[in-house]
Amino acid sequence: SSGINAEYGDDLADLPPPEPDYADNEILGVGGPVQSVSVSKDSGFETDQDLEEPLERARVIYPYVPSANDELLLEVGNIVTIYVKNEDGWFEGTFGDKRGLFPGNYVESI
């Protein structure tokens, strides 16, 4: 296979369709289909989080153990950065390099 080369900023909509011999149109990597792709901050790509301005910082006042993969673990005293306050009372924010949802009433603004 010849592969496809693309650089940051290229319009991916203009890429040619996959070659007919690609199995189920999968992206092929060394040793088989690519299972996942990750982009580091050093790659030059911007993430949604890089473009978002935080709303505020808050201190955790109650511990919270996530019940889903998209939720954030909270420990009393942690300082979280809040990016979204949903109408249902759940906030979206970060602690360290983790981002997720958590109950808004488990934190207090600082």
Side-chain angles (χ1 to χ4, degrees):
S1 95
S2 62
I4 296 173
N5 293 318
E7 295 182 10
Y8 178 70
D10 289 352
D11 184 354
L12 300 181
D14 293 334
L15 290 177
E19 297 174 12
D21 62 338
Y22 276 21
D24 298 323
N25 295 330
E26 293 177 328
I27 298 173
L28 298 180
V30 176
V34 174
Q35 298 300 316
S36 66
V37 176
S38 63
V39 177
S40 70
K41 283 189 170 277
D42 298 333
S43 67
F45 287 93
E46 293 178 332
T47 64
D48 291 341
Q49 186 175 325
D50 293 333
L51 302 175
E52 275 183 286
E53 289 293 323
L55 298 176
E56 65 181 291
R57 290 170 38 116
R59 177 176 289 108
V60 176
I61 55 175
Y62 302 109
Y64 179 73
V65 177
S67 59
N69 290 337
D70 63 346
E71 296 176 358
L72 192 63
L73 172 70
L74 300 180
E75 295 180 359
V76 173
N78 288 357
I79 304 297
V80 296
T81 302
I82 299 169
Y83 288 90
V84 178
K85 291 182 176 183
N86 295 309
E87 290 181 14
D88 62 2
W90 286 79
F91 292 176
E92 185 175 345
T94 58
F95 177 72
D97 63 349
K98 303 288 185 199
R99 183 172 180 138
L101 297 167
F102 56 91
N105 58 346
Y106 281 45
V107 299
E108 65 182 1
S109 296
I110 55 173

